[in-house]
């Protein structure tokens, strides 16, 4: 019988923010696979490290992160072939995903190559969005409010409109757009209800009121959260 | 020394979708509290049940769910007083929250009554949004895409605009608005990229392509997900 492909959310960074279910899968699968940059370590594997029983076959999915070259279809085709060899031999394979597999993860490129003709099971995980909110002590939305998750790459007008039209907004992929995002939020008069969070739930976690964040750019694992004030939230 | 108040995400329904961290807190706190309807059982407690060591003091936070009466500030004031008695006596208290504490949970009404003058720690959880996506096998967003979470109570025009302007949308709190939401998605030509999910990750889980969902209304724990097709996602 063919093996099962798991898309395994390992959570935002703290190894204890993995689910019991993902932990159980990690303990029993003979093969794990995980994304990694062209050079350097895999964050997903680092998160899972403490939970691995050892002696598993490991597939390192190295993909070029050059803008425009992603997603690299030929690269995913090659890794899919390697994963398929294990599945067809009856071995379960778990693909480790930072946060949740279906939220801004690269797992979808593996997923679409197997769904339909293999057994695929996705184990949802704690996303970086809720981890950032927890780190900042910032309740995001309640009742009939709108939450929007946007990339910082949107142009200023679009960004402004979406933040203005949402009770809470999570702005991802700050990079060199961080100061632009801060300017938009300042202009909207919401700087005092915004936080900057870096490496949420990790040892290097850093949380600042956005007003105190003066950087021009920000690392990959960072986020800005804007929410309405507690008065407006009806607290 | 005063105790710590935990906002504990217990995940979307499957008891195995709780984190190791939340599990550890549940095992050691002397007092747990959880929301429950005016009459009937607490879902949050049911999710956590298997992980409780027994012999804990339990505070049932019963709140009126009558529209307009929520949030009931006097009710939260009363429970906050009860929780404070334990904290001030040095006992940690964990408030159980379905999904994540800061995403559409009632924990924020407890949170604002303690933050600042008590130690409060929020343990993020797996939200129902990613659990629904996992159940439907529907990757939500990748790269520079926008995700919007909206309540079904928005008027048709607003709903249409937000769904049209997002790569993926999660529509919550369907209730008697379910057929309206389906009509809007049909009009946008996106019915074939939409799912209806009920009780994600629970034994009673039900997943349907939205085109096959013909109900006028839907239960409280249900959601409609719309996403772009895989071609558009660049898969």
């Amino acid at each position: 019988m063919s093996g099962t492909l798991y898309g395994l959310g390992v959570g935002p960074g703290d190894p204890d923010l993995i689910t019991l279910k993902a932990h159980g899968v990690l303990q029993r699968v003979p093969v794990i696979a995980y994304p990694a940059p062209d050079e350097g370590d895999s964050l997903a594997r680092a998160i899972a490290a403490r939970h691995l029983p050892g002696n598993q076959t490991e597939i390192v999915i190295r993909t070029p992160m050059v803008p425009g070259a992603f997603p690299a279809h030929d690269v995913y085709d090659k890794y899919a072939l390697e994963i398929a060899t294990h599945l067809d031999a009856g071995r379960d394979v778990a693909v480790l995903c930072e946060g949740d597999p279906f939220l801004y993860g690269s797992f979808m490129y593996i997923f679409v190559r197997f769904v339909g003709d293999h057994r695929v099971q996705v184990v949802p995980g704690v996303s970086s969005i809720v981890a950032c909110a927890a780190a900042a002590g910032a309740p995001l939305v309640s009742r009939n409010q709108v939450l929007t998750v946007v990339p910082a790459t949107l142009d200023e007008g679009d960004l402004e409109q979406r933040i203005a039209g949402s009770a809470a907004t999570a702005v991802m992929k700050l990079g060199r757009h961080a100061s632009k995002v801060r300017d938009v939020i300042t202009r909207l008069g919401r700087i005092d209800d915004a936080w900057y969070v870096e490496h949420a739930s990790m040892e290097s976690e850093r949380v600042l009121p956005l007003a105190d964040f003066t950087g021009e750019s920000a690392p990959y694992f960072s986020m800005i959260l804007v929410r309405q004030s507690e008065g407006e939230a009806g607290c």
Side-chain angles (χ1 to χ4, degrees), chain A residues 4-233:
Chain A
T4 296
L5 175 68
Y6 291 93
L8 215 62
V10 297
D14 177 347
D16 278 344
L17 289 178
I18 196 169
T19 63
L20 299 185
K21 189 165 183 177
H23 183 262
V25 172
L26 280 181
Q27 289 281 309
R28 69 169 187 268
V29 291
V31 184
I32 60 171
Y34 42 82
D38 252 346
E39 294 181 17
D41 294 337
S42 161
L43 177 63
R45 193 196 184 284
I47 296 171
R50 189 201 295 170
H51 309 301
L52 300 175
N55 298 318
Q56 288 166 314
T57 300
E58 303 195 13
I59 301 171
V60 189
I61 304 175
R62 291 203 186 271
T63 48
M65 281 300 171
V66 189
F70 191 85
H73 296 292
D74 52 337
V75 174
Y76 284 111
D77 285 344
K78 188 191 77 168
Y79 286 112
L81 215 60
E82 189 174 347
I83 290 170
T85 307
H86 290 288
L87 295 175
D88 294 341
R91 290 187 288 276
D92 293 345
V93 179
V95 180
L96 317 185
C97 311
E98 300 144 15
D100 177 81
F102 280 166
L103 271 190
Y104 300 101
S106 57
F107 176 68
M108 67 184 297
Y109 304 112
I110 302 289
F111 175 80
V112 295
R113 286 166 169 78
F114 289 94
V115 69
D117 57 6
H118 284 80
R119 263 179 309 156
V120 182
Q121 198 187 329
V122 174
V123 180
V126 175
S127 78
S128 59
I129 300 163
V130 292
C132 283
L140 289 178
V141 276
S142 65
R143 297 179 294 167
N144 290 335
Q145 298 182 329
V146 173
L147 167 70
T148 306
V149 186
V150 297
T153 49
L154 294 184
D155 67 48
E156 287 200 32
D158 196 1
L159 211 49
E160 188 167 326
Q161 197 187 347
R162 289 179 190 267
I163 294 172
S166 309
T169 309
V171 188
M172 328 254 300
K173 308 196 183 200
L174 296 173
R176 61 193 174 79
H177 303 279
S179 63
K180 174 184 78 181
V181 176
R182 188 188 50 223
D183 290 347
V184 166
I185 293 169
T186 303
R187 220 157 45 222
L188 288 168
R190 293 178 70 179
I191 189 86
D192 292 330
D193 295 309
W195 284 262
Y196 168 81
V197 187
E198 200 175 289
H199 300 144
S201 89
M202 303 181 205
E203 277 176 30
S204 50
E205 177 181 290
R206 193 171 157 236
V207 181
L208 291 174
L210 185 58
D212 296 343
F213 172 76
T214 53
E216 284 302 307
S217 67
Y220 185 78
F221 288 100
S222 62
M223 198 180 292
I224 286 175
L225 296 176
V226 201
R227 51 177 290 269
Q228 61 185 356
S229 63
E230 270 147 23
E232 292 170 292

